[in-house]
Amino acid sequence: MIRAFSIIAILIATHSLLAQKLLPQNLNTILRVAVQGQAGNIPYRPHIKLGIDVLADQGFAPLLGKRVGLLTHPAGVNRLEISTVRILHQNRAVNLVALFGPEHGIYGNEKANEPIDNATDPRTGLPVYSLYGKYRKPSPNMLSGIDALAIDLQDIGTRSYTYISCMKLALEAAFENGVEVIILDRPNPLGGLKVDGPIVERRWQSYVGAFSIPYVHGLTIGELARMAVSKPGILNITDMQRQSGKLTVVTMEGWNRYMSWPMLGLKWIAPSPNIPDFHAAVGYAMTGLGAQLGNFKHGIGSEYPFRILTHKNATLEQLERELSRRSIPGIQFERKMFGGSNTGLYVKVTDWRAWRPTELSFHMMQITALFDPANPFSSAPNTQMELFNKHVGSSSWWNEISRKGAQANRAGFIGVWERQAKQFQIQSQAYWLYD
């Protein structure tokens, strides 16, 4: 069933988009589908065609006559939930010769941060080259037997989710070795209008922040690839290699920027174990940064990953009081049982328009400095400090929160980041593939 995360949020977002004249003529149909889906009354009815669907409609023309490698994972499926691996392998016109797997592997059964070895795929007999083991960037040997690398990865719209980093490294390696890259584009689950949070500084770029973009970036993986190839200085290759490389983005049909996942009519296929549904993808943007340091827990390992908050040094009542008094726009907190006998505060998005995805995380940082016996940021060892900054990306915020803790000037930083995010969104329109 279509699970709309919040009917109120959809209605409020609709009001905003009407004012901007961004909604299509079939608005009533979209809203009816979302409302009925929330009630669990209708089956999945896809409203868009994904990149793999459009590729099939084209008769796989971009792949014909080429030895093809495929970088994908479990969420790499068509609108009818058929695996892209299966589609390409079973099509006699396509010469699929190798598979490439990101973090969690091509079948999503590997744990986070766990290295993965190369293997042979038991379903197809094809070699599977791991890009989350000895190598994160495809080696020349891996690419030596292919002419084109197809990429079908489902991102969730946040900078630290590693599939866009995997795509970037694959793009660099392919261009260095004369291999064409074909991106089968997919929706940004948060839509294409939300842009929020700090832009990672170059000194903190890493595998959890490979692009100098806001934490919530508002682009599809195809648009990010287009930006990387078009704009000098993003890819770590020579300008000659960048300019001579060939990138093809097979765009979706029917997707528009105002569309978040509940509007698509597609079944959610978990792109990684801790993102089992759309609610977790929303939560990842909201609480992922806030639990990097200190004693907050945000539901990892429970039925509500990234959505349920507890704190080791605060009672539920204390935490509820502190969060509620802050009146964070667009969200509310409600008590919810999880893990059988535990109770936490579930973060509920009530106003999609007012919601700034990352704002809660910076409140969480202040709160953990308040509740912990000592400011965890000022006493963090270098390894934790570096990991925190690789995710957040702002040295000035680190200096602020480590020196001032609960008294950090959160509002001032958020204001600066909001202006920078708006400027990024304006600049990134040059690479948009969808209205």
Side-chain angles (χ1 to χ4, degrees):
M1 311 297 175
I2 301 173
R3 293 173 175 84
F5 69 97
S6 169
I7 296 304
I8 293 175
I10 291 174
L11 291 174
I12 292 174
T14 298
H15 176 77
S16 168
L17 292 165
L18 278 171
Q20 300 175 56
K21 298 182 180 179
L22 290 172
L23 284 177
Q25 296 299 313
N26 62 341
L27 167 63
N28 290 335
T29 300
I30 289 175
L31 287 178
R32 185 172 66 253
V33 166
V35 172
Q36 289 175 337
Q38 174 76 2
N41 296 328
I42 60 173
Y44 291 110
R45 292 175 183 168
H47 304 305
I48 70 167
K49 287 185 177 181
L50 303 166
I52 180 60
D53 298 304
V54 174
L55 181 71
D57 288 348
Q58 296 172 347
F60 303 94
L63 306 182
L64 299 183
K66 301 168 185 174
R67 298 167 299 172
V68 178
L70 174 63
L71 169 56
T72 192
H73 60 169
V77 298
N78 70 1
R79 66 206 297 257
L80 301 178
E81 304 161 40
I82 301 172
S83 164
T84 299
V85 174
R86 178 181 169 188
I87 291 169
L88 298 187
H89 183 251
Q90 292 185 349
N91 190 297
R92 294 181 179 179
V94 176
N95 184 20
L96 182 65
V97 298
L99 301 174
F100 295 78
E103 184 178 8
H104 306 294
I106 62 170
Y107 295 120
N109 52 0
E110 304 289 346
K111 294 180 180 179
N113 302 315
E114 289 290 330
I116 304 169
D117 293 330
N118 294 338
T120 299
D121 178 28
R123 304 183 189 183
T124 63
L126 295 173
V128 181
Y129 296 113
S130 171
L131 300 184
Y132 201 79
K134 182 179 179 180
Y135 298 96
R136 291 193 177 178
K137 181 176 180 178
S139 68
N141 183 59
M142 293 176 185
L143 298 172
S144 63
I146 67 174
D147 306 303
L149 178 64
I151 301 178
D152 194 6
L153 294 171
Q154 179 62 63
D155 181 40
I156 61 170
T158 48
R159 168 169 36 84
S160 64
Y161 203 60
T162 61
Y163 297 141
I164 60 174
S165 302
C166 184
M167 176 273 290
K168 178 175 179 283
L169 291 176
L171 193 58
E172 291 172 357
F175 279 22
E176 286 172 333
N177 290 276
V179 173
E180 178 184 359
V181 174
I182 300 167
I183 304 277
L184 307 180
D185 212 8
R186 294 191 160 270
N188 183 323
L190 304 181
L193 298 176
K194 283 288 181 190
V195 181
D196 185 59
I199 295 174
V200 67
E201 297 166 4
R202 183 168 290 275
R203 67 175 293 194
W204 296 120
Q205 284 187 352
S206 70
Y207 203 67
V208 291
F211 289 89
S212 287
I213 56 178
Y215 193 70
V216 173
H217 52 72
L219 300 173
T220 70
I221 196 167
E223 290 171 333
L224 275 168
R226 189 181 185 206
M227 181 179 75
V229 171
S230 303
K231 190 175 178 181
I234 295 179
L235 297 178
N236 293 316
I237 57 177
T238 67
D239 268 352
M240 182 176 295
Q241 289 169 331
R242 178 180 62 84
Q243 292 168 357
S244 61
K246 184 176 181 182
L247 170 69
T248 299
V249 179
V250 182
T251 56
M252 298 174 282
E253 291 182 2
W255 189 77
N256 298 96
R257 308 204 81 78
Y258 69 86
M259 296 173 116
S260 60
W261 192 272
M263 293 183 177
L264 306 181
L266 297 171
K267 182 179 178 180
W268 183 272
I269 305 294
S272 61
N274 285 321
I275 309 292
D277 50 33
F278 172 68
H279 307 286
V282 171
Y284 186 97
M286 281 197 294
T287 69
L289 296 178
Q292 281 290 318
L293 262 173
N295 285 296
F296 260 108
K297 300 295 183 185
H298 52 6
I300 295 298
S302 78
E303 59 268 49
Y304 306 113
F306 298 104
R307 294 302 288 263
I308 198 105
L309 297 181
T310 59
H311 195 283
K312 177 182 176 182
N313 297 322
T315 66
L316 188 65
E317 290 75 16
Q318 289 173 321
L319 183 57
E320 186 174 37
R321 189 182 312 117
E322 182 61 30
L323 284 167
S324 297
R325 79 167 185 82
R326 291 169 177 263
S327 301
I328 305 170
I331 61 175
Q332 292 180 357
F333 304 93
E334 59 182 32
R335 297 188 181 196
K336 190 181 284 284
M337 296 284 292
F338 70 99
S341 59
N342 302 304
T343 304
L345 295 178
Y346 184 84
V347 187
K348 187 176 181 181
V349 178
T350 56
D351 185 338
W352 186 266
R353 181 184 181 187
W355 175 58
R356 291 191 290 245
T358 65
E359 184 171 5
L360 172 59
S361 277
F362 295 95
H363 283 274
M364 290 168 63
M365 294 174 201
Q366 288 183 304
I367 291 170
T368 203
L370 177 67
F371 286 149
D372 285 5
N375 182 348
F377 302 97
S378 62
S379 59
N382 284 340
T383 53
Q384 291 185 8
M385 179 273 288
E386 289 177 1
L387 185 61
F388 177 92
N389 282 312
K390 285 176 181 179
H391 281 82
V392 178
S394 170
S395 296
S396 55
W397 171 253
W398 172 259
N399 292 334
E400 179 78 4
I401 192 69
S402 60
R403 284 190 296 109
K404 298 182 180 178
Q407 304 305 316
N409 182 17
R410 181 201 69 255
F413 277 85
I414 288 177
V416 170
W417 295 332
E418 188 172 18
R419 291 190 291 274
Q420 292 174 344
K422 287 180 180 177
Q423 184 62 30
F424 170 82
Q425 187 174 47
I426 292 169
Q427 294 172 348
S428 69
Q429 288 179 16
Y431 313 110
W432 283 9
L433 296 167
Y434 314 91
D435 296 328

